Amino acid sequence: MTSQSITQAFQERISEGELLNCMRCGFCLPACPTYVETQDEVHSPRGRISLMMAVRNGEIEEVEEVEDSLNVCLGCRACEPACPAGVNYGHMLEEARAIFHEHKKVPLKEKALRQTTLNTLFQDQSKMEKATSLLGFYQRSGLQKTSRKLKVMNFFPEHMRQMEQVLPKITKRKDRQDAAHFPSETETKATVAMFRGCLMDTMFYETNQSTIKLLNKAGCDVVVPDTQGCCGALHGHSGEKNGSVNLAKQNIQAFEQVEADYIITNAGGCGAFLHDYGHLLKDDGEWSERAQQFSNKIVDFSSILVDLNFVENAKLKVDRQIVTYQDSCHLRNVMGVSEAPRKLIQAIENVEYKEMPQADQCCGSAGIYNLTQPDMSMQILDHKMQKVETTQATTIVTTNPGCLLQMKLGIERQNQSEQVRAVHLADLLLEACC
């Protein structure tokens, strides 16, 4: 990787005007988790923008240090709503990561990992299903119990041992319902197309089913296009721009075959990336307009439930419990959804809702960040769990699979699994319906 080639790519692909939009005012600092944790400007949004500008101007020789700073960024985009100048930090971050990835020699170990995950599993839903089926076999066959008894996981880092403890139970393939159409239980108010996601449709299959049932109860006919694939978020966040572009085109084609009022998501990270397809393909003459039309239809399931007066028409009740909510960063910061989930939670009888301090700050999951940057991720998580503790909540609600696993991990790290649970909003709402 040469600084000259990186500088040229930055000049061609990252707008100087966009970089100059940053006024260095510092409003982003208290919103940025990595700056809060380190108090280091290198790990703040305005600091990273300054580094990008310096690379673009050819003022930095050791560009690897800039790449390290960008990799420590969670990509939560909390700086964007805090920015008075409206700087599109997230778009610049992903373009910069793509440039670094394209211009460096990737180590063999990393190349193999990327090939196995991003370019194989996440590019082919059937392979993702097979992989999660193996996880299900591991859980049900006795291998998991044997592995724990023999302390095999002791060979792995602590946070990975704890993660193994909180993985959801995988639904057997024969128990999955693969229908493409789920009719409304009442008078049809809208026809929606469900984006099922890769992990959501395998590891979190039951949550997808909960979402569909809630939409049916709210008056939605739900259609699930069978040719859709991964949203491409993990590719985009990891510098694999071509992979995310290919997946975007696949999904646009899949949903163009369905006449739907909205495209529904129940994972904040996926929803935000789908919402940004218009930007991702803005320079592609054949796809730019189609991508923007697709993006314009993206709606989070919580928003449509509120819009269709679900809480007014459904009697929601659970056993008495204290509930708090952890925002999905991308759902809040990119899609602008924060009030709908809270309104739905507070409509449930016997729920005492307690707002968590700084619920809008990242939990440290950020896709695969807890694997690539485990120390910073666990530091952020441990501080997040201190905020949870102030609410005395027995139930933590999230709206994203990565956040859900991260909060489960936080509960495990605090040895609170007997007292506290973490659930997806869709699962809590369906529980309240019954």
Side-chain angles (χ1 to χ4, degrees), residues 181-196:
H181 178 230
F182 299 83
S184 169
E185 292 184 9
T186 62
E187 178 185 355
T188 301
K189 299 177 182 177
T191 298
V192 303
M194 176 79 178
F195 182 80
R196 63 190 179 195

Side-chain angles (χ1 to χ4, degrees), residues 1-228:
M1 173 165 52
T2 65
S3 59
Q4 186 176 1
S5 63
I6 296 290
T7 292
Q8 183 176 349
F10 267 61
Q11 291 171 350
E12 293 172 353
R13 294 165 57 177
I14 297 183
S15 165
E16 181 180 32
E18 190 65 58
L19 289 167
L20 289 172
N21 280 341
C22 176
M23 302 182 297
R24 314 295 192 269
C25 65
F27 281 18
C28 59
L29 299 183
C32 175
T34 54
Y35 177 78
V36 170
E37 296 294 336
T38 65
Q39 296 296 299
D40 186 346
E41 281 282 4
V42 169
H43 296 311
S44 74
R46 71 178 181 182
R48 292 181 177 112
I49 289 173
S50 294
L51 290 173
M52 285 188 248
M53 177 62 85
V55 171
R56 194 181 190 282
N57 292 339
E59 298 170 353
I60 294 182
E61 290 289 334
E62 302 296 329
V63 292
E64 290 82 4
E65 294 180 8
V66 178
E67 183 185 19
D68 290 341
S69 173
L70 298 182
N71 287 340
V72 172
C73 179
L74 290 143
C76 67
R77 296 172 70 168
C79 53
E80 293 185 13
C83 178
V87 175
N88 292 310
Y89 172 81
H91 294 161
M92 291 190 292
L93 172 69
E94 292 191 354
E95 195 65 44
R97 283 176 170 173
I99 291 170
F100 277 113
H101 177 66
E102 292 163 15
H103 286 79
K104 74 175 183 179
K105 185 176 181 180
V106 181
L108 187 60
K109 183 178 179 181
E110 181 183 342
K111 185 181 292 187
L113 181 62
R114 284 176 176 264
Q115 181 62 36
T116 302
T117 55
L118 297 178
N119 299 327
T120 301
L121 281 180
F122 289 98
Q123 288 279 2
D124 188 334
Q125 189 65 8
S126 65
K127 289 185 173 65
M128 179 67 74
E129 290 173 359
K130 290 175 182 176
T132 50
S133 293
L134 288 174
L135 175 58
F137 176 78
Y138 167 74
Q139 292 173 336
R140 294 187 295 267
S141 65
L143 283 174
Q144 186 176 52
K145 290 182 179 179
T146 302
S147 172
R148 291 176 179 176
K149 187 175 181 179
L150 295 176
K151 298 183 179 181
V152 173
M153 291 303 296
N154 286 354
F155 292 100
F156 294 85
E158 181 185 10
H159 74 285
M160 292 189 69
R161 295 198 301 269
Q162 293 167 336
M163 184 66 77
E164 190 267 349
Q165 297 275 348
V166 302
L167 290 174
K169 298 298 181 186
I170 305 301
T171 303
K172 292 181 180 180
R173 188 72 185 83
K174 66 181 182 65
D175 295 333
R176 289 167 53 96
Q177 186 177 2
D178 291 329
H181 178 230
F182 299 83
S184 169
E185 292 184 9
T186 62
E187 178 185 355
T188 301
K189 299 177 182 177
T191 298
V192 303
M194 176 79 178
F195 182 80
R196 63 190 179 195
C198 48
L199 283 178
M200 288 302 298
D201 195 49
T202 51
M203 192 173 291
F204 297 93
Y205 171 81
E206 296 300 331
T207 300
N208 265 7
Q209 292 305 111
S210 296
T211 304
I212 291 171
K213 290 172 184 176
L214 291 170
L215 292 168
N216 289 159
K217 291 178 182 295
C220 293
D221 277 343
V222 180
V223 180
V224 185
D226 62 358
T227 56
Q228 62 178 293

Side-chain angles (χ1 to χ4, degrees), residues 364-379:
S365 172
I368 58 172
Y369 187 91
N370 53 10
L371 299 178
T372 61
Q373 302 285 338
D375 292 341
M376 180 62 74
S377 176
M378 294 303 102
Q379 184 175 325

